[in-house]
Amino acid sequence: MISISSLIPLALLICYTYANPTLNNTVYIISQAETPSLGIDGLTPVGLRRAQHCIPNVFKGLGIGLIISCTPDPDTGACFAAVATVTPLAQSLNLTVNTSCTTGDHAEDDCASNLIASFTQNSTAAILAVWDAGDEDTFVDNLTSNFDGIDIPDQKDDDGVFHHDVFTIVRTGASIRRLSQNCSGIDGKALGTGRLPGEACDT
């Protein structure tokens, strides 16, 4: 007869085997830089300025050892802007952007999570991730599902508005932080816009 006590180690082993890993490395999730309207490829002049000057200045001193994005798809145009957003930063850090994870119908859901988990097995360096804007929510949801103790908000604000300057700092056991890149000349409120202090919303 099998005793209950003999089953406890097996139960613990099963729980351990299927537990989500913790994310002990810091992960910075950024949005792709500004792109032209009407489906035109590339970045806008503002987006190019963000990619070439602002992002390298903000992130170059944060100990980043891995930069990941999605695989550019020539059929849909997905991910080209995302990769262009972080290429100048990668070059300044002597890194190559890892674009091994695809998007769309044939994407492997856990690809990015597995890539991050594999990297963290051998390194304590920080990770920076940028995904195609059309698939960013899926990317964030997969990270939330595959790592223990994190609940990542999407890059939109409470009104559902997408902001290119917002980035999110994620690590298991730490508070999720959302900040602005605060790029000089392109982020923040322009003078002469917005309400005056104390002014009602409907005036």
Side-chain angles (χ1 to χ4, degrees):
M1 181 176 179
I2 300 175
S3 66
I4 294 177
S5 60
S6 67
L7 294 176
I8 292 176
L10 178 60
L12 291 175
L13 176 61
I14 293 173
C15 291
Y16 176 80
T17 302
Y18 289 97
N20 285 337
T22 56
L23 185 56
N24 296 318
N25 301 49
T26 299
V27 177
Y28 300 96
I29 302 173
I30 70 172
S31 299
Q32 68 180 38
E34 291 83 346
T35 57
S37 61
L38 304 177
I40 299 172
D41 291 337
L43 302 176
T44 65
V46 169
L48 190 62
R49 180 176 173 184
R50 183 182 302 283
Q52 291 184 339
H53 302 290
C54 179
I55 289 175
N57 286 335
V58 172
F59 295 99
K60 65 183 179 182
L62 298 181
I64 292 170
L66 174 67
I67 299 176
I68 66 171
S69 189
C70 44
T71 308
D73 186 337
D75 293 328
T76 65
C79 302
F80 282 98
V83 174
T85 297
V86 290
T87 295
L89 172 64
Q91 292 172 341
S92 71
L93 297 175
N94 294 317
L95 297 174
T96 299
V97 182
N98 188 311
T99 59
S100 58
C101 295
T102 59
T103 58
D105 295 338
H106 302 293
E108 179 187 344
D109 289 344
D110 297 338
C111 180
S113 297
N114 291 339
L115 182 63
I116 290 172
S118 177
F119 177 79
T120 61
Q121 293 297 311
N122 302 299
S123 176
T124 59
I127 300 160
L128 185 137
V130 58
W131 229 245
D132 184 78
D135 210 47
E136 191 174 81
D137 287 347
T138 301
F139 166 74
V140 167
D141 289 344
N142 287 336
L143 288 188
T144 300
S145 299
N146 287 311
F147 288 99
D148 185 52
I150 61 173
D151 185 11
I152 310 170
D154 61 33
Q155 300 291 77
K156 302 180 182 69
D157 63 17
D158 293 338
D159 295 325
V161 178
F162 180 87
H163 295 287
H164 297 275
D165 64 306
V166 171
F167 67 97
T168 305
I169 307 173
V170 180
R171 188 174 67 250
T172 295
S175 299
I176 305 296
R177 300 184 63 195
R178 300 183 72 208
L179 302 171
S180 171
Q181 295 168 18
N182 199 25
C183 302
S184 177
I186 58 176
D187 290 335
K189 186 175 74 173
L191 294 177
T193 66
R195 298 190 301 274
L196 297 173
E199 186 177 3
C201 295
D202 57 354
T203 58

